[in-house]
Each structure stands twice: as structure tokens, then as C-alpha cells.
Amino acid sequence: MKRSRPDSRISSRAQRVCRTRRLIERGAGDTLYLNVQLRGQGRAAQDGRRASQRPGEMAIVDGTRPFELEFDGDFEQLCVTFPVELLAPRLALPQAMSAVRIPGDEGLG
């Protein structure tokens, strides 16, 4: 079985990305996304939380639940994907980790 790359480098203009319940029901979403902001600013929203990201900062979103990503201008982001079953057991409270800003210059970052 051929495996897809676990990361993507995204460079684009202002946009809003919504992963809705309807899209989740279609499948292909048992993934955690670790988004590293490289250029510009972004925001991740999930489970009532919002994380603003500047270059060097990260946020995790869970593809099994609805989320939104917003970018007000040109941006670049590195998106690293992990199967939920691989990463979630290693997190103390996986659902509490989504849409939380992870500073790039301390701790996990």
C-alpha cells in the first residue's frame, strides 16, 4: 500500500477553510493536523477555542471534529498530519489540545 506524504507546505492568499460535520461524515478524516505558521498570520478554531498563530507558532486541529482555519492575507504554513490513533494516546487530554497556540520558542515548540 502506498502511503501519502505526512506533510504539506501551503502557500496561498486570504481564505477561510471549514471542516463541517457533513464533510466528516464523508470519511477520510481520522487525522490530527499540526499546523506550523511560516509566514503571515492564521487562526484555528475548534471546540469553542481560537488560536492565533504568527510565524514560528503552531496549533493542532482534529479532523474527526468540525474546525475552521482563517487567513486574512497571504500566508505560508507547514501542515504535518498524524493518524489520530497514533498521536492521541500520547496526549494527556487530546480534545483539550485542539486550537491552542503552541509557541515556537518554548516548551513543545
Side-chain angles (χ1 to χ4, degrees):
M1 177 170 88
K2 184 179 176 185
R3 296 184 59 119
S4 61
R5 284 188 59 157
D7 64 341
S8 299
R9 191 174 188 133
I10 303 156
S11 182
S12 192
R13 298 182 184 263
Q15 61 183 279
R16 182 173 173 216
V17 177
C18 297
R19 179 133 173 95
T20 64
R21 291 194 188 283
R22 186 173 178 194
L23 289 172
I24 292 166
E25 290 169 1
R26 288 177 163 172
D30 293 347
T31 303
L32 292 175
Y33 301 93
L34 172 65
N35 297 323
V36 183
Q37 196 71 28
L38 301 175
R39 183 173 51 87
Q41 294 188 8
R43 286 182 301 282
Q46 189 168 46
D47 300 328
R49 289 183 296 277
R50 294 182 68 83
S52 294
Q53 299 166 254
R54 293 185 305 222
E57 298 178 334
M58 301 167 260
I60 295 172
V61 289
D62 184 341
T64 66
R65 299 188 319 279
F67 67 80
E68 290 183 18
L69 304 175
E70 292 181 80
F71 306 93
D72 293 334
D74 293 353
F75 73 95
E76 191 169 0
Q77 204 175 59
L78 177 66
C79 177
V80 182
T81 60
F82 298 92
V84 169
E85 67 273 4
L86 177 68
L87 190 57
R90 290 171 169 76
L91 301 172
L93 297 169
Q95 290 190 352
M97 292 298 297
S98 63
V100 174
R101 184 182 66 85
I102 302 169
D105 59 353
E106 63 184 59
L108 176 64

